Amino acid sequence: MSKNVVVIGGGIIGLCSAYYLQKEGHQVTIVDQSNLDAGASYVNAGYLSPSHIIPLSAPGVMKKGLKWMFDKSSPLYIKPRLNIDFLKWTWAFNKSCNQNHVDKVAPVIRDISVLSQELYTDIKAQEKFNFHYEKKGLLMLCQTEKMLEEEVHTAKLASQLGLSAREVSSEEIKVLDANVQIDALGAAYFECDQHTTPHEFMTEMKAYLRSVGVEFYPNEKVIDLEVSKNTISSIKTDKQVLKADEFVLAAGSWSDMLSKKLGIKLLLQAGKGYRINTEKDTGISIPAILCEAKVAVTPMNGFTRFAGTMEIAGINHNINKIRVDAIARAAKKYYPNVQLTEDEKGNAECGLRPVSPDGLPYIGKSQKCKNLTVAAGHAMMGWSMGTATGKLVSEIISEQKTSLELSSYHPDRKF
Ligand SMILES: Cc1cc2nc3c(=O)[nH]c(=O)nc-3n(C[C@H](O)[C@H](O)[C@H](O)COP(=O)(O)OP(=O)(O)OC[C@H]3O[C@@H](n4cnc5c(N)ncnc54)[C@H](O)[C@@H]3O)c2cc1C
């Protein structure tokens, strides 16, 4: 049965939800407070990376976070705040930082990101999209023995989960990425990973959705929801009232502010990250993570992107020059011939990752509302999980059997 569906948020999750919903014959409207051209879904590193089976909430991360709290250039920064939502999130995050939790969620992360990779491939073929999309794997470059040991351990775990991953020596790194000098002791090489140029996919997807009749309301903020008997009857934006049969909450880092109005308490914090682009020919052809510095490097279409930092410090888009400098310094440390310029650093942009406490997104309907599907909280994996999330959202609203088992993603789950 065809339904009217309003999707709140037009990032990767909102667009992919709209894509699969319209394919099922639903009438879809997307409302976004932005101009639909910036933020996390545009500045990300473009990885489709099942390799990231270890969530942020892993053993030792809280300790590292505490240590890094006083380092202005650290890749992870958790700003202490006397705010009840932040304190609840921190408590739940800390509770998830253990090996049992990692073992439990690793296969769940694998399944949704592998499905997503397949769906990106299908969309590209089916819609004849041209967005840049390559399968060259991901090198986890390490400069210290300790880090290499950790990464090789993760590669073994990934292999046990059926993902293609192995250790490579510094000699082999030179052969793999022959046109750039790399300073690394060794690496774990996740051949299972793919990469894209995000704005190309976003641009093509928006154009496609418009061409098939999806209605867009950019620069329009959803400010309230009208609810009776656990059902949303309409939403109020700063410009109009929109009615629909079903609603999708894909508002990224802002999702908890709207869910709160329905009594749905999503634990969510914004994790700011930055990207620096250079159009100079860096010679880099294989995506890499500079492990000690936690910087992601992606050869995109016509430029190389360096992305990093996770600043959990509330919702703001301030550019912290110290952290941008740290990303540029890391680039030079691993690629001695790559020097990012002041202009390139000055053009750095940021985006907010919607970070749940346990490394899994919220996908599904809460007991508190019959016609709202939540699709948020993808943290550092939203690009990798985008298409699969969209498909799941459409299956939920179309009342079909879902492609993946949903209990791990439940928006009402307890931590
Ligand atoms: C530097 C960086 C690198 C990253 N690299 C990768 C990577 O390589 N691979 C990967 O898988 N992931 C990566 N990520 C994470 C990924 O980008 C995010 O998880 C993903 O983009 C989140 O998508 P989203 O649609 O949920 O949120 P967003 O893209 O933030 O979209 C949410 C939208 O909702 C809108 N909105 C919010 N509130 C309202 C409201 N009240 N009314 C109307 N509209 C509203 C916002 O304007 C926004 O456009 C990276 C992120 C960053 C910052």
Side-chain angles (χ1 to χ4, degrees):
M1 194 182 73
S2 170
K3 296 175 181 172
N4 278 316
V5 186
V6 168
V7 179
I8 306 171
I12 182 67
I13 304 300
L15 293 192
C16 289
S17 300
Y19 175 80
Y20 288 104
L21 284 163
Q22 63 79 31
K23 284 276 175 205
E24 285 302 320
H26 303 299
Q27 287 299 312
V28 186
T29 301
I30 298 179
V31 195
D32 199 294
Q33 65 188 4
S34 77
N35 199 31
L36 290 157
D37 56 5
S41 297
Y42 292 83
V43 304
N44 68 74
Y47 296 164
L48 305 176
S49 49
S51 65
H52 283 42
I53 44 172
I54 311 286
L56 181 65
S57 49
V61 171
M62 207 60 196
K63 210 169 126 197
K64 249 185 228 166
L66 286 171
K67 199 176 104 196
W68 278 338
M69 230 172 229
F70 306 100
D71 178 354
K72 288 197 169 92
S73 63
S74 63
L76 170 68
Y77 174 62
I78 304 176
K79 183 180 176 183
R81 276 159 290 155
L82 276 178
N83 165 295
I84 189 75
D85 293 337
F86 169 74
L87 294 171
K88 280 186 186 162
W89 180 92
T90 310
W91 180 82
F93 180 81
N94 187 38
K95 217 173 151 205
S96 300
C97 289
N98 65 74
Q99 195 54 45
N100 275 349
H101 174 69
V102 172
D103 294 344
K104 205 172 106 196
V105 300
V108 181
I109 295 175
R110 172 203 57 195
D111 289 349
I112 188 168
S113 25
V114 167
L115 173 63
S116 236
Q117 276 188 338
E118 289 164 11
L119 296 174
Y120 273 102
T121 312
D122 291 352
I123 292 176
K124 189 165 167 69
Q126 208 173 325
E127 312 306 344
K128 299 193 172 46
F129 282 1
N130 284 316
F131 68 92
H132 165 233
Y133 179 15
E134 279 187 90
K135 183 167 183 175
K136 287 201 159 175
L138 175 68
L139 280 168
M140 304 297 289
L141 297 175
C142 301
Q143 292 188 326
T144 58
E145 290 285 358
K146 188 169 176 287
M147 187 56 81
L148 187 57
E149 211 174 283
E150 264 178 44
E151 291 303 326
V152 170
H153 177 75
T154 306
K156 282 191 185 136
L157 196 78
S159 297
Q160 283 161 13
L161 289 173
L163 298 169
S164 166
R166 64 190 170 91
E167 181 177 2
V168 289
S169 65
S170 58
E171 288 311 306
E172 197 177 346
I173 294 170
K174 280 184 197 143
V175 177
L176 281 169
D177 214 355
N179 292 324
V180 61
Q181 192 188 332
I182 298 179
D183 188 354
L185 211 61
Y189 186 31
F190 290 89
E191 289 160 306
C192 53
D193 284 8
Q194 306 174 350
H195 69 285
T196 57
T197 299
H199 73 267
E200 293 188 349
F201 177 82
M202 295 297 282
T203 303
E204 278 189 303
M205 184 53 100
K206 281 181 289 183
Y208 166 83
L209 292 173
R210 284 198 168 97
S211 76
V212 293
V214 170
E215 192 132 19
F216 279 79
Y217 292 113
N219 303 310
E220 202 164 322
K221 182 177 178 173
V222 177
I223 48 178
D224 210 355
L225 309 129
E226 192 68 46
V227 189
S228 72
K229 294 190 189 133
N230 283 1
T231 305
I232 305 173
S233 51
S234 63
I235 58 168
K236 197 172 151 202
T237 76
D238 47 7
K239 292 182 183 148
Q240 60 178 324
V241 171
L242 291 165
K243 286 186 183 300
D245 305 309
E246 295 277 343
F247 296 83
V248 178
L249 181 58
S253 297
W254 296 262
S255 299
D256 58 326
M257 296 179 200
L258 289 170
S259 74
K260 232 183 223 173
K261 294 181 190 283
L262 302 162
I264 304 170
K265 293 176 187 135
L266 296 181
L267 294 186
L268 203 64
Q269 287 293 309
K272 198 198 289 169
Y274 303 95
R275 70 99 181 105
I276 311 173
N277 291 341
T278 178
E279 288 178 13
K280 285 197 300 282
D281 182 7
T282 57
I284 300 167
S285 71
I286 300 187
I289 288 187
L290 318 179
C291 289
E292 288 81 2
K294 313 250 174 293
V295 167
V297 184
T298 320
M300 294 196 178
N301 193 11
F303 59 98
T304 306
R305 172 165 292 177
F306 298 84
T309 86
M310 174 71 90
E311 262 180 61
I312 299 180
I315 293 205
N316 69 72
H317 287 87
N318 306 334
I319 302 275
N320 179 328
K321 286 203 168 65
I322 297 176
R323 288 205 163 80
V324 172
D325 276 343
I327 294 173
R329 269 201 312 279
K332 178 132 183 78
K333 199 158 177 243
Y334 289 72
Y335 301 99
N337 295 331
V338 172
Q339 174 84 54
L340 295 166
T341 64
E342 288 305 316
D343 270 1
E344 288 161 346
K345 286 190 276 179
N347 289 328
E349 287 185 11
C350 69
L352 301 175
R353 304 175 186 89
V355 187
S356 71
D358 62 354
L360 292 178
Y362 301 105
I363 308 171
K365 288 192 174 182
S366 160
Q367 293 289 337
K368 300 243 165 75
C369 185
K370 289 181 189 151
N371 62 344
L372 179 82
T373 303
V374 179
H378 295 71
M380 38 191 210
M381 291 292 283
W383 194 253
S384 298
M385 298 175 176
T387 46
T389 302
K391 188 158 177 55
L392 291 169
V393 165
S394 167
E395 289 166 345
I396 293 165
I397 290 175
S398 309
E399 294 170 46
Q400 296 165 349
K401 183 174 173 358
T402 51
S403 303
L404 298 171
E405 209 276 310
L406 288 178
S407 57
S408 305
Y409 308 110
H410 205 293
D412 296 336
R413 66 183 180 272
K414 298 277 173 272
F415 297 97

